[in-house]
Amino acid sequence: MIKLLVGLGNPGPEYEDTRHNAGFWFIDAVARELKVTLVPERSYHGLVARTSVNGQNVWLLEPQTFMNLSGKSIAALARFFKIQPQEILVAHDEMDIAPGEAKLKLGGSHAGHNGLRDTHAQLGTADYWRLRIGVGHPGVKSEVVSWVLKKPMAEHREAIHASIDRAVLALPLLLAGEMDKAMVKIHTSKPPRPKPPKPPKQPPLPETPAAA
């Protein structure tokens, strides 16, 4: 079961609406759902909220260390409250997934994401849960940094928030440790498109008599 929900992002108003802050957007949505307010906690280098769901303590965390030191904040809180890596869910922007889609996974590489890289290092393991929130890819490697630090176009922003809303609906399953069911709920981005009707069969063409 998940006890600590973390969103990755950069602090400050200039980064607030950028793609790299999709993890913060998720935690903000969870805080609204659980009716809690995140407050600064110097000991954990972040904004923190603590609540109880079905008798279980749940923490929300938005590290305020800047992205490349996110693990410092996560590890500080997890160690103090004896939260195991498998009880941590880290939400982050994911360029390999299209806006409007999100994926839940346990473990794996950081794939060059600085927030995940530091989290791996500080926790000493990759075996924590990730909510990968699709923000799309600019298509050119040299534009990656400016892409994640820019605001998404309105259509993409709406799609990203729709995927976050869907992930929030899976919150009871995440907190109960029903990760397979949560996966199904989060991964279903769109209902399958109805198949186009088959064209009616054409009657066979009448045979033309062979020329004499």
Side-chain angles (χ1 to χ4, degrees), residues 143-162:
E143 290 176 16
V144 160
V145 173
S146 65
W147 176 261
V148 295
L149 293 177
K150 277 183 185 163
K151 297 178 183 182
M153 59 194 85
E155 186 185 336
H156 281 186
R157 188 178 64 244
E158 285 169 22
I160 293 165
H161 281 292

Side-chain angles (χ1 to χ4, degrees), residues 3-6 39 41 43-50 58-62 70-84 88 123:
K3 294 181 181 175
L4 169 57
L5 297 132
V6 182
V39 295
E41 289 279 0
S43 311
Y44 314 122
H45 319 285
L47 300 176
V48 181
R50 180 179 181 173
V58 177
W59 287 264
L60 308 185
L61 172 65
E62 292 181 358
S70 301
K72 177 182 175 183
S73 172
I74 298 167
L77 193 149
R79 283 196 197 105
F80 189 83
F81 292 108
K82 297 181 171 55
I83 299 168
Q84 300 306 308
I88 299 171
L123 291 179

Side-chain angles (χ1 to χ4, degrees), residues 114-149:
N114 287 333
L116 295 180
R117 181 187 277 118
D118 195 57
T119 303
H120 276 43
Q122 296 287 343
L123 291 179
T125 180
D127 294 333
Y128 54 91
W129 288 91
R130 296 92 182 271
L131 176 65
R132 305 161 70 214
I133 301 166
V135 297
H137 197 287
V140 184
K141 197 173 180 182
S142 60
E143 290 176 16
V144 160
V145 173
S146 65
W147 176 261
V148 295
L149 293 177

Side-chain angles (χ1 to χ4, degrees), residues 40-104:
E41 289 279 0
R42 195 178 293 172
S43 311
Y44 314 122
H45 319 285
L47 300 176
V48 181
R50 180 179 181 173
T51 187
S52 179
V53 179
N54 297 329
Q56 171 194 319
N57 281 326
V58 177
W59 287 264
L60 308 185
L61 172 65
E62 292 181 358
Q64 299 293 292
T65 51
F66 285 96
M67 186 65 85
N68 58 356
L69 293 175
S70 301
K72 177 182 175 183
S73 172
I74 298 167
L77 193 149
R79 283 196 197 105
F80 189 83
F81 292 108
K82 297 181 171 55
I83 299 168
Q84 300 306 308
Q86 295 86 347
E87 298 171 328
I88 299 171
L89 174 69
V90 176
H92 63 91
D93 57 305
E94 175 60 74
M95 286 190 297
D96 292 338
I97 300 175
E101 294 187 25
K103 304 282 183 193
L104 182 66

Side-chain angles (χ1 to χ4, degrees), residues 152-173:
M153 59 194 85
E155 186 185 336
H156 281 186
R157 188 178 64 244
E158 285 169 22
I160 293 165
H161 281 292
S163 71
I164 286 170
D165 290 343
R166 204 167 53 249
V168 172
L169 292 176
L171 190 60
L173 296 169

